[in-house]
Amino acid sequence: MNLGLVPQPRSIAARPGGVVWESPLRISVEDDWREIVETFAVDLSASIGWRVEIVDEQAKPDIQILRVLEYRDEDYQIRTGECTTIEASSRAGASYALTMLRQMAPVALWSNTLRELEKIELPRFVINDGPKFRWRGVHLDVARHFWDVATVCRLIDQLAAHRLNKLHLHLNDDQGWRVEIPTWPRLSEVGSRRRSSPLGHEVDGRDDNIAHGGSYSANDLAIIREHAVKRCVQIVPEIDLPGHAQAVIAAYAQLGNVSEPLEVWTRWGISDHVLNVGPEALDFAEEVVCYVASLFPDSPVHIGGDECPTTEWESSALARAVMDEHGFTEARQLQGLFTKRLTGALQRDHHEVIAWDEVLDADDSPGTVIMAWRSSRKGVEAARRGRDVIMAPMQFLYFDWLNSVDAGEPIALTLAPQATTWEKVYGFSIFPPGLEPDLRHHIRGAQAQLWSEYIATRDHLDYMAFPRISAFSEVAWGTSTMVSDFRKRLALHLERLSAMGVAYRPLDPA
Ligand code: ACM
């Protein structure tokens, strides 16, 4: 039977008979995990108008949720029956089980407008499930285009529907700074607003002359974090330095390398304007990164480190003096000063540190988890250097690339024939080709990227994200099989996405 489960569970065994539920649905759960049932109750109330009652285990619940420590973190079992039993050792495992039950039920349970439903009929089955990879992430660029809190929370809901567990927020870039920092107020006052953006594709060289801006307050980020906690999604904040810093330098010229004033960048691409390597710039980097980290106390923190041109450092007397002081022979090594300083400070504050793979080219710090984006080979290189790795190669997992080579595709970062279809995503191997089997333990998982130079509206975000994220979720969960089998399940799953109001890219005829 095709139930359209995405990502499909590790194993599902049918049993004879069925189960019928009516409102109010009665669920028993221990106190620590009440919140996941309350979240499920909000979903059922909003979609089908049902009530959920949290009851005692002795009171014959429809669903009982049991904490059983033998399960691996995030694993769970469901046995549907007179009393449906969920077992898990973690809050996440129990939450995934409820999401799975919601997928087994009629599509109305995903509706973003009320659809009355008298009863839910489920088949009897036993599911044993759990992810193969512990990092199953999606990245959102809130710098090139700013996304309001509601849109970020909506994306969190979409990730949770696919049992994805990380949302990486790219909080600054040359074209905008997106977090209020009390001790550096001009970052949001000046750095969060650009005068204009490219019109059409960057290569056309035209401007729209329309101002764009926005930034999150600490309270906004707290709302996002709390929403994510409810959905068992962890927010991973990124402050990207010392490159991609033109918006910073527009706000605080003394942190840059040039004397002429700069504006927040109005073009896409990589600005040559980077932080200088003097003490104030290093102190600044540490202060803002640690402040942002403090807003996400339990999260790993991403320190960026990608695409940092050394042009300005090569002609800077200050940079030359710092190179001499450290005995560096190449300007590239200066970037390592930032990596070391930020990694040290964050690790002291008990944050794990993540960086883009370029930090391997400078003097990086042991313990930094590498996000391999330039190619899968970078993942192999990092693992061979003893680093843990999150696979994010652009050739498969950059969802700002064209969805297909069709001439009708909306403008995207790439130009045809460079495209990433959902079928290509589904064929992605998280273990990079050429990696020695005894280094596989370094591969934490994978992450899909939503860079937003060419994505400016919610509908377009949906179009670029789905169904590629659906395909990605099954790869990251570790249960992908034949693309033809997935396509059949995807066709049903798309009905859920429609019910959720997701403006996904329609499938091409088979
Ligand atoms: C990146 O795409 N510059 C990480």
Side-chain angles (χ1 to χ4, degrees):
M1 185 175 24
N2 178 9
L3 295 166
L5 303 179
V6 174
Q8 70 174 333
R10 203 158 54 205
S11 88
I12 176 162
R15 297 274 183 268
V19 179
V20 180
W21 290 336
E22 287 175 4
S23 180
L25 193 63
R26 303 164 75 254
I27 304 181
S28 71
V29 63
E30 60 181 86
D31 280 352
D32 278 3
W33 291 358
R34 260 185 101 88
E35 196 182 38
I36 58 168
V37 176
E38 285 163 2
T39 303
F40 183 65
V42 167
D43 293 336
L44 257 56
S45 165
S47 57
I48 53 172
W50 278 29
R51 277 192 314 110
V52 170
E53 282 176 6
I54 296 184
V55 298
D56 207 70
E57 217 176 294
Q58 275 74 48
K60 292 209 171 142
D62 296 301
I63 303 171
Q64 62 172 349
I65 302 178
L66 302 176
R67 188 195 294 242
V68 179
L69 295 178
E70 283 79 71
Y71 287 85
R72 269 190 350 175
D73 192 29
E74 299 194 282
D75 282 18
Y76 66 88
Q77 184 188 70
I78 309 174
R79 299 190 301 273
T80 52
E82 209 47 56
C83 171
T84 291
T85 302
I86 289 173
E87 293 180 354
S89 66
S90 70
R91 199 176 154 272
S95 164
Y96 299 156
L98 289 172
T99 303
M100 177 54 78
L101 283 174
R102 213 170 144 208
Q103 282 205 359
M104 310 275 307
V107 80
L109 271 76
W110 295 91
S111 176
N112 63 355
T113 55
L114 195 61
R115 291 195 205 169
E116 302 285 344
L117 192 67
E118 221 164 85
K119 55 182 187 216
I120 296 174
E121 291 177 82
L122 290 182
R124 285 215 187 193
F125 61 86
V126 178
I127 283 183
N128 278 294
D129 195 20
K132 180 165 170 187
F133 295 99
R134 63 187 154 126
W135 191 286
R136 304 181 306 283
V138 170
H139 146 293
L140 178 65
D141 175 5
V142 298
R144 271 51 173 269
H145 282 103
F146 178 69
W147 300 96
D148 64 10
V149 171
T151 303
V152 176
C153 290
R154 179 177 178 272
L155 180 61
I156 291 167
D157 294 347
Q158 294 165 352
L159 302 193
H162 292 83
R163 306 199 296 286
L164 294 165
N165 65 354
K166 310 279 177 194
L167 176 62
H168 165 177
L169 293 179
H170 181 75
L171 289 165
N172 73 294
D173 218 298
D174 295 309
Q175 297 84 359
W177 180 278
R178 303 287 174 229
V179 202
E180 291 175 12
I181 309 285
T183 49
W184 296 87
R186 285 173 59 83
L187 288 173
S188 41
E189 287 164 11
V190 174
S192 73
R193 218 169 164 70
R194 68 171 177 269
R195 180 178 53 74
S196 172
S197 308
L199 179 65
H201 202 281
E202 168 64 32
V203 295
D204 300 338
R206 290 175 297 154
D207 301 295
D208 70 3
N209 294 312
I210 299 171
H212 179 83
S215 60
Y216 303 114
S217 65
N219 189 48
D220 291 335
L221 292 176
I223 293 170
I224 291 172
R225 190 173 65 85
E226 280 161 26
H227 190 83
V229 167
K230 283 193 183 136
R231 300 275 180 199
C232 298
V233 171
Q234 186 174 48
I235 302 293
V236 179
E238 176 190 357
I239 295 294
D240 192 1
L241 297 171
H244 291 286
Q246 186 164 329
V248 172
I249 300 163
Y252 292 102
Q254 75 269 28
L255 301 176
N257 293 278
V258 291
S259 49
E260 73 268 19
L262 298 178
E263 62 172 359
V264 177
W265 210 24
T266 59
R267 305 303 309 169
W268 308 139
I270 309 168
S271 165
D272 273 341
H273 296 297
V274 303
L275 294 190
N276 69 47
V277 292
E280 193 187 356
L282 279 152
D283 287 350
F284 161 81
E286 177 176 337
E287 187 181 328
V288 295
V289 169
C290 288
Y291 170 75
V292 171
S294 74
L295 303 176
F296 298 94
D298 307 316
S299 288
V301 173
H302 199 303
I303 59 169
D306 60 322
E307 298 177 324
C308 180
T310 54
T311 337
E312 289 189 336
W313 292 343
E314 274 153 28
S315 54
S316 147
L318 170 67
R320 169 58 49 201
V322 175
M323 283 178 68
D324 290 346
E325 186 191 326
H326 290 273
F328 292 160
T329 52
E330 288 174 41
R332 164 76 41 232
Q333 290 172 279
L334 289 165
Q335 187 178 341
L337 297 176
F338 286 89
T339 316
K340 273 210 164 69
R341 177 81 174 265
L342 298 177
T343 302
L346 289 166
Q347 287 176 344
R348 271 196 301 282
D349 290 347
H350 310 290
H351 290 281
E352 184 158 58
V353 181
I354 303 171
W356 298 111
D357 61 49
E358 283 95 329
V359 296
L360 292 172
D361 304 340
D363 189 9
D364 72 326
S365 291
T368 312
V369 177
I370 302 300
M371 199 165 265
W373 75 274
R374 285 180 288 178
S375 71
S376 287
R377 280 194 309 283
K378 291 290 165 192
V380 177
E381 184 186 329
R384 286 185 184 154
R385 285 168 63 168
R387 299 314 172 74
D388 275 9
V389 183
I390 297 157
M391 297 301 297
M394 61 177 170
Q395 299 80 359
F396 291 89
L397 298 182
Y398 271 33
F399 294 172
D400 55 339
W401 287 29
L402 283 168
N403 265 294
S404 78
V405 294
D406 291 355
E409 289 293 350
I411 202 163
L413 181 88
T414 54
L415 304 171
Q418 209 171 28
T420 300
T421 60
W422 66 262
E423 290 94 331
K424 182 175 176 193
V425 175
Y426 196 70
F428 173 60
S429 161
I430 293 185
F431 290 126
L435 182 73
E436 293 74 9
D438 62 341
L439 294 179
R440 283 188 168 191
H441 63 278
H442 281 302
I443 308 298
R444 294 247 183 121
Q447 184 169 285
Q449 277 50 239
L450 288 164
W451 295 104
S452 66
E453 289 95 329
Y454 295 98
I455 308 177
T457 66
R458 204 187 253 199
D459 276 0
H460 194 202
L461 185 66
D462 285 357
Y463 181 92
M464 299 306 273
F466 293 98
R468 291 188 285 196
I469 283 181
S470 305
F472 168 71
S473 73
E474 191 154 299
V475 175
W477 193 259
T479 52
S480 54
T481 52
M482 306 270 290
V483 77
S484 52
D485 168 62
F486 177 71
R487 195 182 206 283
K488 286 186 202 128
R489 284 183 291 110
L490 180 60
L492 293 185
H493 183 62
L494 291 180
E495 292 175 20
R496 285 184 203 111
L497 295 184
S498 292
M500 292 167 79
V502 177
Y504 60 84
R505 182 191 184 279
L507 302 187
D508 294 324

